[in-house]
Amino acid sequence: MAANFWTSSHCKQLLDPEEVDVVHPLDKERGITLEDFKLIKLHMANYIAKLAQNVKVRQRVVATAITYMRRVFVRRPMTEYDPRLVASTCLYLASKAEESTVQARLLVFYIRKIYPDDKHKYEIKDILEMEMKILEALNYYLVVFHPYRALSQLLQDANMNDATQVTWGIVNDTYKMDLILVHPPHLIALACIYIASVLKDKENTAWFEELRVDMNVVKNIAMEILDFYDSQKMITDERMSAALIKVKPITPQ
Amino acid sequence: MGDGNSNASSSSRAGNSNNNGNNRPEWLQQYDLIGKIGEGTYGLVFLAKIKSNRSKSIAIKKFKQSKDGDGVSPTAIREIMLLREINHENVVKLVNVHINHADMSLYLAFDYAEHDLYEIIRHHRDKVNQPINQYTVKSLLWQLLNGLNYLHSNWIVHRDLKPSNILVMGEGDEHGVVKIADFGLARIYQSPLKPLSENGVVVTIWYRAPELLLGAKHYTSAVDMWAVGCIFAELLTLKPLFQGQEVKGTPNPFQFDQLDKIFKVLGHPTQEKWPTLVNLPHWHADVQQIQGRKYENAGLYSVVHLSPKNPAYDLLSKMLEYDPRKRITAAQALEHEYFRMEPLPGRNALVPPQPGEKFVNYPIRPVDTTTDFEGTISLQPSQPVSSGNAVSGGMAGPHVMPTRSVQRPIPMGMQRMQPQGMSAYNITSQAGMGGGMNPGGIPMQRGVAAQAHQQQQMRRKDPAGMTGYHPPQQKSRRF
């Protein structure tokens, strides 16, 4: 159902981390490691956010687009589904699904603006063809729930309105990981609030206990986010380029 | 959604190899195309049968690539997005989505419904010359509200309810079951990114709620209830209740004639009865025109020929309440006294449960067998339709009348036996399957196809959906 997470396709499609961290056999052949795989998805998530700033759509569209992109690469090889084209097209499709349609020609214009010297020029036609492939890869499930929806209410309830901005930022950062494919969005929201309480030195134990959610899960998600922050510092441009070069399309389609 | 991931088949493999000789994608081979049954701005609707189970009819809605070079139309995206999430007996079920990569077209496959309220009303008005019987009106309305209650409780506003979008199943184990269709304008209204009104003017003008006509920006599920009221009145009188003249070509939702028609019947809205009226843009925009004429006498009961004391009238007037915040909700309407008195509503809206009671054989949907999936006129010998005819030769009857002439469809369904009908209700609803007693009669053709229509299914039902179905008074009329 469209407004109830527990009966939604999103809920039914949640995956175990082991199912998400699988490099497609075709990608493996090209030497793509699990680390490369994660780096490329991180890069594409950042790219979607950048593109979205240019075409001026809201964060919810960005979040939906990144979720689509991550779902696509659970089943489709990056060596056949050019990640940059997939990422751009996911933003295109998400803008339609979230009722703030962006024209394909506008998108193409900004892709060229962001990457002026990219040898690989995308045409409108490439976006439109990829749109259909992505619909298939998503198995036509387009409704995505995000942690943002629960966030402001939870923050208010926890008497943490002053932490809205920092928490919102942490939620944005969770899309650099695959958390949205694995955990219910409200638990991700709680994990972000948990981190924010630690950062703000706010004692919230009682409030969390009253929620009747599995705090072990919330804490584990929080740990994952913190681990990610740590590891992100180590990512060099060279390392990222080395991963990206492996998925360069050999021949334009 | 109840069917999980396997429900809509991903046809990517078929898609990648869809140019196998005759330019016909692989997924299409599973269907026998019968012909075209509808046409809309988005594309065409076809009737087809599944080759592996010829008792099952499918309506296939083909979306053309949008002309503005912007890919899959937002209408199709909305429809897929919502229908993939919802599952209810009184809502059409999307059984498959197909993509033809060769010409970038998209196909939505629904279970086929033989009838719709537009055709049922028209049949009574133009052919039968008598009103729709009370049991049928009440059952249709109850099921429509039941489906709408499900949608609204999931924060979905349909926004385009009208008789042609309310389908009714033909013969088979879902005979007479109402299915709300056409979600091309539907929205999830929880925290919309933009005011809904920015997506352009919606809802066919005759069924459009007054707050929309007066320019409301943030409207609610109450707009659907207004439309239900209009449909209810039309079921009673066989005439559209408020038949305003639409001013075309204006992006402005203000339609004076439509408002005038409403005011004439319901009286002028007042700020007393509708406090937020003054906040609506068009209420001020044209003070002279809008507020100039005064209609005082509410004449609704005389228009629908009901006594003001009749519960049917009471329910109708609550649906046609001016103030959207006071208008009755679908959930409240289902609890209304009208549904608790005889005749009680039933699952097969077309056939009253009492043996011996008369019922009308509604004509089946005309099929234009001269149009193929590409929308091209005239079929070649290799088209699926001809092979379909060959296969169906030994079945209940010819499925296609190989003639171009315009004919009156002759209802030729099997005679229905009441006890069987009821047992079908109890058994098939649990077991879910069911062979379909009759493949749906004999499609006839007619030069001009009716408006776009579609869908249905005889597949597994979500058990929750079933229990949700039963009207509270169901027990009393089981036999």
Side-chain angles (χ1 to χ4, degrees):
Chain A
M1 295 176 212
N4 180 351
F5 173 75
W6 300 107
T7 54
S8 69
S9 64
H10 182 161
C11 182
K12 285 174 186 155
Q13 287 190 98
L14 289 179
L15 300 163
D16 289 333
E18 304 81 61
E19 298 173 276
V20 178
D21 291 337
V22 178
V23 181
H24 195 281
L26 288 173
D27 287 346
K28 262 189 200 156
E29 278 176 31
R30 292 275 295 273
I32 295 170
T33 64
L34 180 57
E35 201 199 342
D36 292 331
F37 186 48
K38 290 185 176 182
L39 280 175
I40 295 163
K41 287 192 283 185
L42 165 61
H43 182 85
M44 292 307 155
N46 291 334
Y47 166 72
I48 287 173
K50 197 167 165 186
L51 193 53
Q53 269 180 358
N54 279 276
V55 297
K56 296 190 176 63
V57 287
R58 289 174 52 167
Q59 180 58 28
R60 195 167 94 193
V61 183
V62 175
T64 298
I66 296 174
T67 309
Y68 288 171
M69 184 269 293
R70 292 185 179 278
R71 283 183 182 175
V72 167
F73 288 127
V74 171
R75 289 182 199 93
R76 300 288 196 267
M78 294 183 154
T79 42
E80 278 185 18
Y81 285 69
D82 172 8
R84 188 157 295 148
L85 180 57
V86 169
S88 312
T89 311
C90 284
L91 184 64
Y92 179 61
L93 182 58
S95 76
K96 287 183 188 176
E98 299 285 358
E99 299 288 349
S100 37
T101 304
V102 173
Q103 289 183 328
R105 56 176 178 81
L106 198 67
L107 205 65
V108 167
F109 173 81
Y110 282 110
I111 296 168
R112 288 179 185 166
K113 201 180 147 203
I114 297 175
Y115 294 97
D117 46 358
D118 198 331
K119 282 188 214 101
H120 216 76
K121 293 264 195 287
Y122 301 119
E123 307 289 338
I124 292 175
K125 174 177 130 303
D126 300 323
I127 303 265
L128 303 188
E129 278 174 13
M130 184 52 84
E131 183 186 26
M132 295 208 148
K133 289 185 186 173
I134 287 172
L135 277 172
E136 280 181 343
L138 296 174
N139 203 11
Y140 310 102
Y141 289 119
L142 301 177
V143 174
V144 182
F145 289 77
H146 297 293
Y148 303 106
R149 194 182 273 190
L151 204 57
S152 51
Q153 214 185 330
L154 287 169
L155 284 170
Q156 193 160 9
D157 196 54
N159 198 17
M160 281 182 64
N161 281 330
D162 55 325
T164 301
Q165 230 174 351
V166 63
T167 316
W168 190 275
I170 300 168
V171 173
N172 288 353
D173 286 340
T174 64
Y175 288 89
K176 297 176 179 176
M177 298 171 268
D178 285 309
L179 292 176
I180 194 73
L181 303 190
V182 178
H183 300 289
H186 69 282
L187 293 183
I188 299 175
L190 287 174
C192 295
I193 294 174
Y194 186 77
I195 296 173
S197 345
V198 174
L199 288 176
K200 290 253 170 187
D201 219 5
K202 167 122 184 157
E203 170 53 44
N204 256 342
T205 321
W207 180 78
F208 275 108
E209 273 168 7
E210 271 174 28
L211 286 172
R212 279 189 296 168
V213 294
D214 188 341
M215 273 314 282
N216 287 327
V217 179
V218 173
K219 285 176 188 170
N220 284 340
I221 298 171
M223 287 309 291
E224 253 188 273
I225 297 169
L226 294 174
D227 281 350
F228 169 78
Y229 282 138
D230 275 346
S231 66
Q232 203 188 14
K233 292 176 201 148
M234 326 278 247
I235 305 169
T236 61
D237 286 352
E238 291 73 35
R239 180 67 193 88
M240 187 62 93
S241 312
L244 288 170
I245 202 85
K246 295 181 185 174
V247 291
K248 276 275 170 198
I250 304 168
T251 49
Q253 5 2 15
Chain B
M1 174 171 83
D3 295 286
N5 288 353
S6 60
N7 193 358
S9 77
S10 170
S11 49
S12 64
R13 270 152 220 92
N16 292 339
S17 58
N18 63 23
N19 273 322
N20 50 355
N22 59 1
N23 202 21
R24 196 160 278 282
E26 252 170 57
W27 62 262
L28 219 146
Q29 317 282 332
Q30 65 178 295
Y31 301 111
D32 282 331
L33 177 71
I34 307 296
K36 185 178 84 173
I37 49 174
E39 196 165 357
T41 45
Y42 51 81
L44 303 169
V45 187
F46 300 95
L47 172 61
K49 289 193 176 286
I50 296 179
K51 278 181 185 167
S52 57
N53 176 10
R54 286 198 50 91
S55 63
K56 200 159 157 60
S57 294
I58 297 288
I60 298 178
K61 194 168 176 179
K62 176 184 180 176
F63 287 88
K64 288 179 268 192
Q65 185 79 8
S66 67
K67 287 199 183 67
D68 54 8
D70 250 312
V72 181
S73 81
T75 311
I77 297 283
R78 252 171 243 140
E79 197 153 21
I80 293 171
M81 182 164 163
L82 290 173
L83 290 174
R84 280 297 264 159
E85 300 290 324
I86 59 186
N87 181 21
H88 189 270
E89 174 160 52
N90 297 122
V91 175
V92 298
K93 177 122 178 178
L94 179 66
V95 292
N96 243 320
V97 183
H98 301 289
I99 283 176
N100 185 359
H101 292 274
D103 70 349
M104 305 269 284
S105 53
L106 183 92
Y107 300 80
L108 304 192
F110 301 91
D111 278 339
Y112 176 64
E114 193 64 77
H115 313 288
D116 60 67
L117 296 194
Y118 178 86
E119 290 297 335
I120 287 171
I121 291 166
R122 199 171 71 115
H123 185 66
H124 278 270
R125 188 183 57 224
D126 299 348
K127 300 289 162 194
V128 184
N129 286 321
Q130 63 176 31
I132 305 173
N133 95 37
Q134 281 195 46
Y135 164 81
T136 296
V137 171
K138 196 182 282 186
S139 303
L140 292 171
L141 185 67
W142 194 90
Q143 294 187 41
L144 169 57
L145 287 165
N146 195 35
L148 204 56
N149 182 37
Y150 169 84
L151 294 175
H152 289 174
S153 58
N154 283 288
W155 300 87
I156 296 169
V157 209
H158 186 285
R159 309 206 308 174
D160 195 22
L161 289 177
K162 54 186 172 187
S164 59
N165 283 344
I166 316 297
L167 309 183
V168 183
M169 295 299 281
E171 291 187 11
D173 32 339
E174 285 199 293
H175 191 200
V177 173
V178 169
K179 304 282 178 178
I180 301 173
D182 211 329
F183 285 73
L185 286 174
R187 291 292 190 289
I188 301 169
Y189 62 97
Q190 192 161 348
S191 58
L193 289 182
K194 288 181 179 177
L196 292 167
S197 55
E198 272 183 41
N199 294 102
V201 183
V202 298
V203 184
T204 318
I205 174 171
W206 294 348
Y207 307 92
R208 196 178 292 172
E211 63 270 26
L212 296 185
L213 294 164
L214 289 169
K217 288 252 183 322
H218 295 277
Y219 53 91
T220 62
S221 56
V223 302
D224 286 341
M225 289 307 295
W226 179 273
V228 173
C230 298
I231 294 168
F232 184 17
E234 195 167 331
L235 286 169
L236 294 169
T237 65
L238 308 178
K239 279 199 301 256
L241 180 60
F242 307 123
Q243 229 169 329
Q245 290 287 322
E246 185 160 6
V247 185
K248 301 261 185 193
T250 163
N252 190 332
F254 180 65
Q255 295 281 354
F256 175 71
D257 192 55
Q258 185 63 29
L259 279 170
D260 198 51
K261 292 281 189 310
I262 295 170
F263 294 167
K264 261 181 197 154
V265 174
L266 299 180
H268 225 74
T270 59
Q271 202 185 331
E272 220 178 4
K273 288 190 225 152
W274 186 0
T276 52
L277 180 64
V278 287
N279 303 330
L280 293 170
H282 301 311
W283 180 248
H284 299 290
D286 205 339
V287 177
Q288 282 262 297
Q289 226 179 351
I290 287 243
Q291 300 179 43
R293 301 193 205 181
K294 294 286 178 213
Y295 299 110
E296 281 158 29
N297 262 345
L300 178 61
Y301 57 88
S302 62
V303 174
V304 294
H305 313 295
L306 288 173
S307 145
K309 286 181 188 139
N310 190 322
Y313 175 78
D314 185 70
L315 176 58
L316 176 64
S317 62
K318 284 174 171 153
M319 291 171 169
L320 299 175
E321 165 67 50
Y322 273 123
D323 188 342
R325 292 180 308 178
K326 294 182 194 154
R327 202 171 297 153
I328 195 167
T329 65
Q332 290 162 351
L334 288 167
E335 298 296 316
H336 194 273
E337 189 196 349
Y338 172 63
F339 294 116
R340 298 176 188 276
M341 37 181 271
E342 295 287 338
L344 295 173
R347 182 178 190 255
N348 184 342
L350 302 184
V351 182
Q354 290 78 22
E357 193 142 333
K358 275 204 288 184
F359 58 88
V360 178
N361 268 320
Y362 293 99
I364 55 166
R365 203 177 291 284
V367 181
D368 172 8
T369 55
T370 61
T371 306
D372 69 9
F373 265 132
E374 274 71 52
T376 355
I377 303 299
S378 177
L379 295 164
Q380 285 125 44
S382 64
Q383 297 292 346
V385 165
S386 10
S387 64
N389 283 339
V391 173
S392 69
M395 299 196 46
H399 290 274
V400 177
M401 298 292 282
T403 157
R404 280 169 171 273
S405 63
V406 177
Q407 299 183 31
R408 239 358 274 171
I410 309 151
M412 286 188 60
M414 292 157 71
Q415 270 313 87
R416 284 151 279 204
M417 293 175 291
Q418 301 309 329
Q420 191 183 358
M422 288 316 288
S423 64
Y425 179 21
N426 294 327
I427 295 162
T428 60
S429 60
Q430 304 302 328
M433 301 313 283
M437 288 181 282
N438 184 306
I442 303 158
M444 300 298 210
Q445 51 184 124
R446 181 175 67 176
V448 186
Q451 251 199 298
H453 300 294
Q454 54 288 102
Q455 27 285 312
Q456 271 20 275
Q457 69 133 17
M458 303 167 185
R459 358 168 71 213
R460 271 177 81 87
K461 278 280 161 317
D462 181 317
M466 280 311 299
T467 44
Y469 176 81
H470 293 265
Q473 55 283 88
Q474 194 67 44
K475 277 177 239 106
S476 59
R477 48 165 296 258
R478 184 145 284 171
F479 295 105

